[in-house]
Amino acid sequence: MKNKLYILIIILLPLLSFGQSSYQKGVEYYKKADYKNAQIAFDDALDEDIEPAYNTLTYRGLCKYYQKQYNEAYEDYNLAVKDLNKLGYTKIGEMPANILKAYGLTLYDRALAQHKRGQYNEAIKDFNFALMYKYSSGDCYYQIANAYYALSDFGKAAENYTLSMPYKPTDYSLYYWRGNAYLSNGKWKQSIADFDFYIKQKPNDPYGYHYRGFSKIMLDNIDEAIEDTQKSIDLNMKDIYLAFRNLGMIYIKLEDCEKARENFEYAIKLNSNDNFSKNKLETLSVDCGETEEEKVVVKNTPKYSKPTISWVYPAQETIETSENVVTIKACVNSSEKPTMSLYADGVELTSRDFVIVPSKQPDCPYRFEKQVTIPPNANLTSLRFVAKNSGGSVESSRKIYKIKSQNPEAEERRIALLIGNAAYKHKPLNNTLNDVDDMAKKLEGLGFKVIKHKNLKAEEMSMAFIKFGRELASYDVGMFFYAGHGLQNGSGTNFLVPIDAEAIKTDQDFNKYCVEVDELFGQMKKANSKVNIIILDACRDNPLDARNATRGSGSRGLSAPTQNPQGSFIFYAASANQTALEGEGSRNGIFTGELLKFIDKPNLKLEEVVKETSKAVKLKTNDQQKPAWYSEFDGDFYFRH
């Protein structure tokens, strides 16, 4: 009987195996980390049209990811998103739990692949989408921080590490990485505090001591810096050259040039690519305060070597992006401030957002940033970056291919905050609430998520700005529209007037009763959206004229803006220091009424909408009211194509 049972099992095993689907086989291989065979099984499952395809595609993408086939993994995640989109859900709130989970997981995995491909901005965008689809907040914030760190945006990296901490209370690496972000941002005390906590949890990690030691050097805590550096050596730090680099910095502080030179030279011997130590050697006579006689010895020798270029973004020679505007970032190692130039398709780019600054990051003495607009019809943009100092010049190239967005939502995510104030104690307004209602309808039809408020008090306006800024971080285009009273103080600072504002009697009353426009600008800058449109129908005359001096001191209308969010376009209902007409007897104010006529016309660029509106306003008011605009945006934006 026993032998018969064995024979039966032998006969049935192939049948049982045959009954197991290719998808199930793939899952089993995946669980065993046999990614090669798992990938083959998932290939078979797709050939057999086993549903749902998005599950199979996501699994196959993971198999490719773990085999370091990041481009192929990315393509599978794209296909999975497309398959999910076929289900027809348009609102997250209406999705079943399993679909919501599938979106979140797929977008998170795609973001990881994007990060590995050096597509850090695209990765951040996908991690934010994963957050929207309720994927693990702690993991998303942590990975967003890593992407910002890779982009050398250390302020945002630190912010997102902080956001991740409540969700991952036992992940002490968060303190390590936030400490490094603070260090690279020159926030030495915060860096030391994070490494203090990290070392308590991980007392045998030499890197914690090394980076804490570096921050202590920068704060002139030399004795403690020596202790930390020696500890990193005792713990056999893998990148031991970093410890000798620290010692070189310590001896510079102690003005011992010879020992500083010895340690930097030894660091270079251990790592020939240690440009930081090379730069320090070149400027050692200045750093160590050598005598004039000692400086003469090296006077006739070449002082500087050629700079070196390290791309931050794009990190790879060739990348793909669905972004219309990308921020190019590079580090230049140079012992003197270099000159830098960026060329796109052979044309040198220059504008006010061109940034060359000395960096506090040890391996990035000089940092370059420049926003570049990718033409909508261009398949390829070729970049050439040139850095030059007295030792010579170097150049490096990158290529950017424009692709269609594969995000499950609209290709260009838009959000707008609308505020209309009318119920003032002094000089109430008749049509601002209509302005907001009508603008909301237009913008909703143009694909904007609209947040609308009416008759806000000062505290409510400030909170609306903060909440808008947080949400804006997940969108490409942000718009703020305000209809109500606005004014400027004697120094030209612009304020929006809440409905609970009291009469202004002193300069301090502006801040006491009104809301500064820069509060909004600060939130929009922090969100880092690609396009920021600010429209202020707020140039009506000052309703708080408790003193005649306010008008004479410049409180009439709004002043020209001085600090604008990146990629911003600001549109005033009237020119600086001029007041706008409300439009007696009509549903809308004159400015907003004309703007509503043009904002949804097809194929008008933003600038064309603005110019057509301005012409109409000037014509309607016999040139009494002349709208004004101020642009930090060098791309093309269409409300409607």
Side-chain angles (χ1 to χ4, degrees), residues 471-489:
E471 195 160 359
L472 179 58
S474 299
Y475 287 78
D476 306 299
V477 179
M479 177 170 164
F480 174 65
F481 173 82
Y482 175 78
H485 282 304
L487 50 89
Q488 59 172 296
N489 65 10

Side-chain angles (χ1 to χ4, degrees), residues 303-320:
K303 189 175 180 182
Y304 299 114
S305 58
K306 289 182 180 182
T308 59
I309 297 170
S310 300
W311 288 88
V312 176
Y313 188 81
Q316 297 177 324
E317 290 186 8
T318 301
I319 68 163
E320 297 173 342

Side-chain angles (χ1 to χ4, degrees), residues 264-554:
F264 286 131
E265 287 175 348
Y266 192 59
I268 294 168
K269 182 179 179 181
L270 294 170
N271 179 6
S272 60
N273 295 318
D274 183 5
N275 291 312
F276 180 86
S277 293
K278 291 177 182 178
N279 292 332
K280 283 298 179 183
L281 279 177
E282 289 178 349
T283 60
L284 205 55
S285 61
V286 176
D287 291 335
C288 277
E290 292 184 7
T291 64
E292 290 301 319
E293 291 78 9
E294 290 172 315
K295 293 176 184 177
V296 169
V297 176
V298 295
K299 184 175 180 181
N300 295 320
T301 61
K303 189 175 180 182
Y304 299 114
S305 58
K306 289 182 180 182
T308 59
I309 297 170
S310 300
W311 288 88
V312 176
Y313 188 81
Q316 297 177 324
E317 290 186 8
T318 301
I319 68 163
E320 297 173 342
T321 184
S322 61
E323 300 283 350
N324 295 318
V325 180
V326 297
T327 301
I328 305 303
K329 295 185 179 184
C331 284
V332 176
N333 280 290
S334 175
S335 299
E336 61 175 339
K337 186 174 182 179
T339 59
M340 308 183 206
S341 302
L342 181 67
Y343 298 83
D345 296 326
V347 178
E348 185 172 9
L349 304 177
T350 57
S351 78
R352 282 175 288 180
D353 64 359
F354 188 99
V355 179
I356 303 174
V357 293
S359 170
K360 296 171 183 175
Q361 188 183 2
D363 292 316
C364 184
Y366 293 94
R367 176 174 52 82
F368 171 90
E369 289 187 16
K370 173 71 177 76
Q371 279 194 335
V372 175
T373 299
I374 307 299
N377 298 323
N379 294 323
L380 170 66
T381 298
S382 297
L383 301 175
R384 182 167 63 92
F385 181 56
V386 180
K388 182 179 181 181
N389 65 13
S390 40
S393 66
V394 292
E395 63 178 64
S396 186
S397 300
R398 289 291 187 268
K399 292 181 179 179
I400 301 178
Y401 287 92
K402 183 72 179 293
I403 60 171
K404 186 176 180 181
S405 173
Q406 296 294 331
N407 284 319
E409 301 282 325
E411 182 174 347
E412 184 179 69
R413 290 182 51 75
R414 304 173 168 191
I415 188 170
L417 171 64
L418 279 58
I419 296 177
N421 286 339
Y424 292 102
K425 298 177 182 178
H426 311 281
K427 295 186 180 177
L429 298 170
N430 297 320
N431 46 29
T432 51
L433 303 187
N434 294 334
D435 290 345
V436 165
D437 285 338
D438 294 348
M439 184 61 69
K441 290 179 182 177
K442 287 279 187 179
L443 294 178
E444 286 170 349
L446 295 170
F448 282 82
K449 174 183 177 180
V450 174
I451 303 168
K452 182 172 66 173
H453 295 289
K454 295 180 180 179
N455 289 327
L456 295 187
K457 297 178 181 179
E459 185 175 348
E460 293 170 334
M461 288 182 71
S462 293
M463 285 304 301
F465 291 165
I466 292 170
K467 290 179 180 179
F468 178 61
R470 288 176 182 171
E471 195 160 359
L472 179 58
S474 299
Y475 287 78
D476 306 299
V477 179
M479 177 170 164
F480 174 65
F481 173 82
Y482 175 78
H485 282 304
L487 50 89
Q488 59 172 296
N489 65 10
S491 60
T493 301
N494 291 321
F495 293 87
L496 303 181
V497 183
I499 62 167
D500 61 341
E502 299 292 341
I504 290 177
K505 298 177 181 178
T506 67
D507 287 340
Q508 289 73 31
D509 287 344
F510 284 97
N511 287 308
K512 186 176 180 181
Y513 298 127
C514 302
V515 179
E516 194 171 337
V517 174
D518 279 351
E519 280 190 34
L520 170 74
F521 287 179
Q523 293 297 329
M524 296 182 91
K525 284 181 181 179
K526 188 175 179 180
N528 200 34
S529 49
K530 300 302 179 185
V531 183
N532 291 298
I533 303 165
I534 298 102
I535 300 177
L536 302 180
D537 194 352
C539 304
R540 297 170 174 85
D541 211 353
N542 178 12
L544 309 176
D545 53 355
R547 54 174 191 168
N548 292 329
T550 56
R551 292 193 180 187
S553 64

Side-chain angles (χ1 to χ4, degrees), residues 237-283:
M237 182 166 59
K238 183 178 179 181
D239 297 314
I240 195 66
Y241 78 95
L242 292 172
F244 292 96
R245 196 165 80 176
N246 264 15
L247 288 172
M249 294 287 292
I250 287 168
Y251 283 116
I252 285 177
K253 293 283 186 177
L254 296 173
E255 297 188 359
D256 188 335
C257 265
E258 190 57 37
K259 286 188 177 180
R261 182 177 289 107
E262 287 176 6
N263 280 281
F264 286 131
E265 287 175 348
Y266 192 59
I268 294 168
K269 182 179 179 181
L270 294 170
N271 179 6
S272 60
N273 295 318
D274 183 5
N275 291 312
F276 180 86
S277 293
K278 291 177 182 178
N279 292 332
K280 283 298 179 183
L281 279 177
E282 289 178 349
T283 60

Side-chain angles (χ1 to χ4, degrees), residues 100 187 320 414 482 562 614 618:
L100 191 69
K187 295 184 177 181
E320 297 173 342
R414 304 173 168 191
Y482 175 78
T562 55
S614 298
K618 287 190 285 186

